[in-house]
Amino acid sequence: MGHYIEVGHVKSGARSSVASDDTWPWAGPTNVGAGTRELAGAVHRAVAMGRFRPVRRVRSCALSEVFIALFDRDDDGVAEVAMVKRIRPELHHVPEARRLFAHEAMLLGAFDHRGIVRALDSGHASTHGYFATEMLHGRSLPELVRRAEEYGLRMPLRHAISLVASMAEALDHAHGRITADRTPLQVVHADVAPGNVTVTYDGSVKLVDFGCAQSRLCPVERRGMPRAGALAYMSPEQCRGEGLDRRSDVYALGVVLWELATWSRLYRRLAPEQVIARIAIGAVPLPSQVRADIPSELEDVLMVALQPAPQRRFSSAGEFAAALRRLGGAEDPRGLDSWVRRVFH
């Protein structure tokens, strides 16, 4: 869902001063960009979605739209702020689109982890084509990196390691979810990329989009739907169109950490077919070839995550997280939150 801002209270009818999503130059274009003002101008014509009243549209993609919305908490005239994701109107009657959209809502409703954005209302996704999640007080990872670059700052390695370890722990929770009858859901995120991560001002790291996810609840079938996943973060098996498991997400996490650690794109200025070819053969340079002061221990862990053969990677996101925690020490949100506030001072 991109960029979340803040959980808070505003009086009904008050104006909301929430910034829109921004694009990480590393992550490729989004659908917000220069058209944000035009998108925002259309929101006033948007109809309410149940108890949620749209205030501003902040993102539009092939399958859905994301709105900042208000909803009444109680009878005291105070409104809560949330994010509402709605299936695009022209796809509302397309069965496959509705199924994929409802699947994301079901998954968010099944998760209960501090590293995954919390669903507020997911019961209307299949019937009315929308669901709501909490607002997060923070910035998207692409926006954070872009702003740091503007000020000549680079994320310290300890923060990069902690950030990706937090992502891995959240994914390990998602991968391990089971149904009420103890059947594994077999969740695969399938789109682990910087644009789907929010860093809050208190140092928390949140995964915010499971729109491309696969699970036992939704067998893979995307005829007529956009290709799932950001190309630069796909695993070799995903590029080849093969079956995926949780180790595919481990590979994508490895790419995110490689880029944060080296502060550079892994696949810079390459055509899509060239990216696919490099991913397929496992052509990942050592981080130390890009940044000489990369610790050898970090490089060893990274290159395990980035093995082209799934069976040679970490067997789970939890195993990857544990290896990173051994390198970077215990989670230190206060250190990361101080750095985020410094970047956005």
Side-chain angles (χ1 to χ4, degrees), residues 21-340:
D21 196 7
D22 284 296
T23 305
W24 191 3
W26 301 356
T30 67
N31 291 304
V32 179
T36 300
R37 292 186 181 86
E38 290 76 7
L39 291 175
V43 172
H44 299 290
R45 298 189 298 273
V47 297
M49 290 165 271
R51 60 181 175 142
F52 299 97
R53 304 186 301 280
V55 174
R56 185 179 184 187
R57 183 166 60 179
V58 294
R59 188 175 181 183
S60 178
C61 61
L63 182 63
S64 60
E65 303 170 302
V66 179
F67 295 85
I68 297 166
L70 302 177
F71 67 100
D72 293 330
R73 183 185 61 183
D74 46 38
D75 296 328
D76 61 4
V78 175
E80 294 274 6
V81 186
M83 297 295 289
V84 178
K85 194 169 190 176
R86 181 182 73 179
I87 193 168
R88 293 184 67 90
E90 63 270 25
L91 296 176
H92 193 80
H93 299 291
V94 178
E96 183 61 20
R98 289 285 294 272
R99 188 168 70 96
L100 291 174
F101 186 81
H103 177 245
E104 179 182 8
M106 284 190 291
L107 288 182
L108 289 181
F111 299 148
D112 182 19
H113 192 274
R114 61 179 180 169
I116 300 175
V117 66
R118 179 170 53 93
L120 296 179
D121 186 343
S122 58
H124 298 284
S126 59
T127 54
H128 295 91
Y130 72 87
F131 64 88
T133 68
E134 64 178 321
M135 263 317 218
L136 302 179
H137 184 60
R139 303 282 180 154
S140 65
L141 183 54
E143 185 180 8
L144 178 61
V145 171
R146 187 178 73 175
R147 184 65 65 89
E149 288 181 328
E150 291 174 356
Y151 289 106
L153 300 175
R154 175 183 286 188
M155 183 181 291
L157 276 176
R158 68 182 184 279
H159 294 336
I161 292 170
S162 177
L163 188 153
V164 175
S166 295
M167 292 174 61
E169 288 160 354
L171 281 169
D172 193 54
H173 170 83
H175 293 160
R177 297 306 282 170
I178 58 176
T179 63
D181 62 359
R182 312 294 295 177
T183 302
L185 280 178
Q186 298 180 340
V187 175
V188 181
H189 188 284
D191 192 18
V192 176
N196 291 330
V197 180
T198 291
V199 182
T200 66
Y201 291 129
D202 65 1
S204 299
V205 178
K206 300 273 189 174
L207 293 176
V208 296
D209 196 323
F210 280 75
C212 295
Q214 302 174 13
S215 80
R216 185 185 293 272
L217 298 175
C218 186
V220 179
E221 179 59 71
R222 292 179 176 268
R223 286 195 300 264
M225 294 295 102
R227 183 178 65 182
L231 178 59
Y233 303 91
M234 287 185 180
S235 64
E237 58 271 27
Q238 191 172 7
C239 282
R240 292 191 294 264
E242 299 171 357
L244 306 182
D245 62 26
R246 59 190 180 182
R247 295 170 297 182
S248 181
D249 288 343
V250 168
Y251 184 94
L253 281 170
V255 178
V256 174
L257 182 55
W258 192 101
E259 295 188 337
L260 288 175
T262 63
W263 210 248
S264 63
R265 286 292 303 269
L266 179 54
Y267 303 108
R268 184 185 294 275
R269 300 188 183 93
L270 295 178
E273 59 272 16
Q274 293 174 306
V275 174
I276 291 173
R278 291 200 178 191
I279 293 173
I281 64 174
V284 179
L286 295 172
S288 58
Q289 294 176 329
V290 180
R291 179 177 175 178
D293 63 343
I294 291 285
S296 59
E297 297 86 353
L298 173 58
E299 184 167 83
D300 291 343
V301 169
L302 255 178
M303 298 315 290
V304 173
L306 291 169
Q307 287 295 310
Q311 63 271 20
R312 298 182 64 185
R313 298 176 206 146
F314 293 106
S315 62
S316 69
E319 185 180 353
F320 187 23
L324 293 175
R325 293 296 185 201
R326 287 193 293 270
L327 289 177
E331 186 175 6
D332 181 20
R334 291 188 177 182
L336 181 57
D337 72 357
S338 296
W339 190 81
V340 172

